Amino acid sequence: MSVEGWIVFALFWIVFVTTPGPNAVNCINNGMTLPFSRAMVGVLGILTQATLFLILSALGVTALIAASPTAFFAAKLAGAAVLIWLGIRGWRNATKPVQLEPRPAHSVYVRAFLIATINPKSVAGYLAAFSQFVQPDVPIRDQMVLILPTALTITALSYTGFTAIGALIGRAALGAIFNTWVRRIMALCFIVYGILLGLSSAPAGRA
């Protein structure tokens, strides 16, 4: 991968992971309701998913999934159902005081990993990255030496930032009403993302 290609890829990835989505909403929610160190376990779950998808993309598995209407439809429905359920639950709990939940680290990790994995946006993003930025005449192993650390570093910085935003909101001197509406907005985001995933179409790679 050339320097110019690497810069274009890095800019694409910055836009991809900083655009608010289910991962960002989950990180903000973790930051609001958990100790910061515990909330960062969710970022680790996202990084695990990112590593897995990057490797699968390199092997061509992501392209196969995206090209399969049945597989994508199943992932789309599963993602939509989980996100809508999380949104409804969040709306119902929005009037309760924000507390530091004693959730074990493995629960935070697994939830973040699953939200990242069932999100078809991930399939679209990784497929786009590998269909537009990978050079077919260069060994994929050589390109992954640049792609993997670049993508994971940007991903870590982005979702650490979202988690920090949640921590600041949760610990700031905000009124109870404002906190309630912030949490309801987050809940609505999950519901909206779930609906959009349910209505989305399978991503298409570059011909």
Side-chain angles (χ1 to χ4, degrees):
M1 179 178 288
S2 65
V3 175
E4 293 79 7
W6 175 80
I7 293 175
V8 173
F9 170 78
L11 292 175
F12 164 82
W13 207 260
I14 289 172
V15 173
F16 178 60
V17 298
T18 57
T19 300
N23 288 337
V25 173
N26 187 52
C27 284
I28 292 173
N29 183 66
N30 285 343
M32 290 181 64
T33 58
L34 298 168
F36 189 73
S37 59
R38 182 70 56 83
M40 285 298 295
V41 176
V43 178
L44 181 60
I46 296 173
L47 289 175
T48 303
Q49 179 268 345
T51 302
L52 176 63
F53 269 46
L54 284 166
I55 293 174
L56 290 178
S57 296
L59 298 175
V61 175
T62 299
L64 176 63
I65 294 175
S68 170
T70 301
F72 184 81
F73 184 68
K76 179 173 62 175
L77 291 183
V82 171
L83 291 174
I84 291 173
W85 176 78
L86 289 173
I88 294 173
R89 181 185 179 188
W91 181 274
R92 295 178 61 183
N93 293 333
T95 57
K96 298 180 180 179
V98 177
Q99 299 177 346
L100 298 181
E101 301 175 3
R103 279 193 283 152
H106 75 272
S107 174
V108 179
Y109 175 88
V110 171
R111 176 177 175 178
F113 177 83
L114 291 177
I115 288 176
T117 301
I118 64 178
N119 178 14
K121 173 191 171 185
S122 295
V123 178
Y126 292 103
L127 180 60
F130 276 79
S131 63
Q132 298 182 36
F133 301 113
V134 169
Q135 297 172 264
D137 56 339
V138 178
I140 188 64
R141 180 179 301 176
D142 296 340
Q143 298 181 73
M144 288 295 288
V145 171
L146 287 175
I147 290 175
L148 192 61
T150 298
L152 293 181
T153 299
I154 294 173
T155 300
L157 291 174
S158 174
Y159 292 115
T160 297
F162 281 120
T163 303
I165 290 173
L168 291 173
I169 291 175
R171 290 162 177 78
L174 300 176
I177 295 178
F178 183 69
N179 270 328
T180 296
W181 281 106
V182 168
R183 298 167 74 190
R184 282 180 172 171
I185 289 172
M186 295 300 172
L188 284 175
C189 285
F190 272 117
I191 295 173
V192 170
Y193 289 135
I195 294 173
L196 291 177
L197 292 182
L199 297 175
S200 64
S201 58
R206 186 177 62 181

